[in-house]
Amino acid sequence: MSKENSILDIAIIGCGPAGLSAALNAKARKKESIIFGNEVCSPKLQKAPHLHNYLGVVDIDGKEFQKRAERQVTDAGIKILRNKVDNIFQKENGFEIVIKDQTYTSKTVILATGVAQGHVLPGEEDLVGKGVSYCGTCDAPLFSNKTVAIIAEEKEGIQEAELLSDICKKVYYLKEHEGEVSLADNVEVIKEKPKAILGNNKVTHLQLINNRLECDGIFIVRDTVPASHLVQGLETEGSAIKVNRDMSTNIKGLYAAGDITGWPYQLGKAVGEGQIAALNAIDYISS
Ligand SMILES: Cc1cc2nc3c(=O)[nH]c(=O)nc-3n(C[C@H](O)[C@H](O)[C@H](O)COP(=O)(O)OP(=O)(O)OC[C@H]3O[C@@H](n4cnc5c(N)ncnc54)[C@H](O)[C@@H]3O)c2cc1C
């Protein structure tokens, strides 16, 4: 795994309106930040045929709004790294952000990943860290010579399969994405849909619609990961991250903004919270 040497002031996770707003405010205060985002920023806004309820903005669709916001951010010299963050670890004086085979270090983090799309499998939440993983690079060594299943909702699952097939005895690959795959001999491609993850305090099986696979670990490759799975110990209220008035969470130096902090799911709230989170992260760094 390679490591970026410079230490960021703020790592912003998510390139929707909340993340972009946080980044602009950090830049205005001359702080070093990077936005980590997915290939498409704010798939939600891309789907809005007409933007309503955002002050001063009329006659525009969500796609155009997001395009303008991204241009404003990149024109300001802020970097958007189009890679999904797999894990965030707390360190003595900050955080380590893991993306594929790279890590970044930052003094603070702002989570602005929106509301996780897609369903979570029964058993998944309870078995995170007990056999369920979202990051092959981070957890593959734990499954040396064992049997694992990869639930590949995205084609990035192929890279996970390449890595895990070198380490594991057997890999099941549940191909849920488009396109062909050509994988090592110890990888069996399964066409059946996953139904539940089974195990009592430790993964033992993946239940499919009609069959059951015995396995020690399950790697899930999705576009979005619930934020509480990205960072261990993050306090939630239902599906939302619990925040204080200054957008701080229960973890020192870690802030959250936008849809991820709960209702109302609106642009105005996302942009405002991004600003508050950035300004308070900056205060935290200088305190
Ligand atoms: C169809 C539709 C129409 C809407 N119309 C309006 C409207 O008219 N007016 C209004 O005010 N609001 C509207 N909304 C709501 C608005 O889109 C949201 O409130 C707003 O986009 C929230 O911004 P956000 O930055 O919090 O999250 P998002 O816009 O969801 O952005 C989060 C970003 O984080 C990325 N991400 C997630 N996980 C990771 C990870 N692990 N690593 C890196 N990146 C990650 C996601 O891919 C995404 O790009 C609409 C929503 C929808 C679905």
Side-chain angles (χ1 to χ4, degrees), residues 12-20 36-45 47-54 66 81 83-86 112-115 117 223-225 230 257-260 264-271:
I12 298 165
I13 324 295
C15 54
L20 298 180
F36 300 90
N38 275 324
E39 194 68 42
V40 177
C41 290
S42 194
K44 272 187 177 176
L45 272 186
K47 286 186 214 132
H50 214 101
L51 263 196
H52 303 283
N53 208 26
Y54 190 63
Q66 179 67 21
L81 213 69
N83 271 318
K84 183 178 68 134
V85 170
D86 291 318
T113 51
V115 175
Q117 307 275 305
D223 195 20
T224 49
V225 176
L230 283 179
D259 281 5
I260 196 181
Y265 302 128
Q266 288 276 282
L267 210 46
K269 171 179 170 287
V271 170

Side-chain angles (χ1 to χ4, degrees), residues 6-7 27 60 108 148 174 226 255 258:
S6 61
I7 298 175
K27 183 73 183 180
I60 184 171
T108 62
V148 300
L174 282 90
Y255 296 77

Side-chain angles (χ1 to χ4, degrees), residues 189-230:
V189 177
I190 306 278
K191 298 262 165 74
E192 216 175 317
K193 291 250 171 233
K195 201 173 148 197
I197 297 175
L198 310 179
N200 187 9
N201 218 27
K202 181 176 169 296
V203 167
T204 56
H205 295 87
L206 179 60
Q207 180 67 51
L208 309 178
I209 301 292
N210 296 310
N211 294 291
R212 185 178 279 195
L213 303 174
E214 199 174 325
C215 50
D216 306 291
I218 296 176
F219 288 80
I220 301 174
V221 184
R222 279 202 195 107
D223 195 20
T224 49
V225 176
S228 54
H229 296 182
L230 283 179

